[in-house]
Amino acid sequence: MSEDRFDLSFDGTLTPGADPAEVRQRLMAAFKLDEGSVERLFRGHTVIVKRRVDAATARQFQQVFARAGAMVNLAPAGPEHPRETRSADADAPSRFETPSDSARLTLAPPGALLEEPSERVAPSLDLSHLSVVPGDDWTLEDCGPLPTPIPEPDISHLSLADDPDRYDSKPWNPADR
């Protein structure tokens, strides 16, 4: 049976009354960190400090953070990833990582609502200026735009009279062109 493992994360939460500048200095001294590494801890999002540590190591980290004036979060470790990043010194918390968004995702049960429906009230609208076609003898075609009338051309000057000058006496042959 394997020993319980924990992931340690820090989200920037300080103990009540702690001075942020002093907390940064204490964490720098306790973990021998440079200013850039400490600033990554205080960016405003959760940072993974250590992954898959045993209970004794987790308590030690909690005590060190508490003495510095910060609160470290402890969560049961998930399954071990084959490509976990390691620093040169495996015990040094200099490899601060942010947890991936996919690690926090879960599936909702089938048919469950993804979020609670909000109570929406229909706005009060003034519809007095609208009207409906009265009666039951209308169709959707009545709602469409009226077609544009096509003007009839004036053909009064045209006639069907024969023009004797226009026609030859012999029939037309395409080869005579």
Side-chain angles (χ1 to χ4, degrees):
M1 184 170 174
S2 66
E3 186 178 334
D4 288 339
R5 296 288 176 172
F6 300 94
D7 289 340
L8 301 168
S9 62
F10 180 68
D11 59 4
T13 305
L14 303 180
T15 56
D19 179 35
E22 288 180 19
V23 172
R24 284 182 167 94
Q25 291 299 323
R26 289 179 188 149
L27 289 175
M28 284 176 61
F31 295 110
K32 298 176 179 60
L33 301 174
D34 60 353
E35 287 184 30
S37 296
V38 170
E39 288 306 314
R40 284 189 287 189
L41 287 172
F42 292 94
R43 283 189 182 163
H45 53 80
T46 303
V47 176
I48 300 297
V49 177
K50 263 317 214 184
R51 289 190 189 272
R52 303 194 53 78
V53 298
D54 57 43
T57 305
R59 277 193 299 277
Q60 288 176 344
F61 270 88
Q62 279 183 318
Q63 291 171 356
V64 171
F65 271 81
R67 280 194 300 261
M71 297 174 67
V72 71
N73 302 314
L74 204 67
E80 187 169 359
H81 299 291
R83 287 184 13 172
E84 186 173 311
T85 58
R86 297 278 180 192
S87 63
D89 180 9
D91 293 331
S94 60
R95 59 173 177 78
F96 297 119
E97 303 165 353
T98 58
S100 66
D101 289 338
S102 63
R104 293 181 276 185
L105 297 178
T106 59
L107 291 177
L113 295 175
L114 296 180
E115 59 183 39
E116 291 298 320
S118 62
E119 293 292 327
R120 296 195 182 223
V121 178
S124 175
L125 300 175
D126 178 23
L127 305 175
S128 62
H129 63 282
L130 299 177
S131 65
V132 178
V133 176
D136 293 334
D137 58 342
W138 63 277
T139 64
L140 288 178
E141 292 174 358
D142 296 331
C143 299
L146 295 175
T148 306
I150 299 172
E152 292 186 24
D154 180 23
I155 57 171
S156 61
H157 62 282
L158 299 176
S159 67
L160 295 176
D162 285 337
D163 185 7
D165 298 331
R166 182 169 182 169
Y167 298 108
D168 295 335
S169 57
K170 63 180 187 171
W172 181 78
N173 185 357
D176 293 340
R177 282 180 159 187

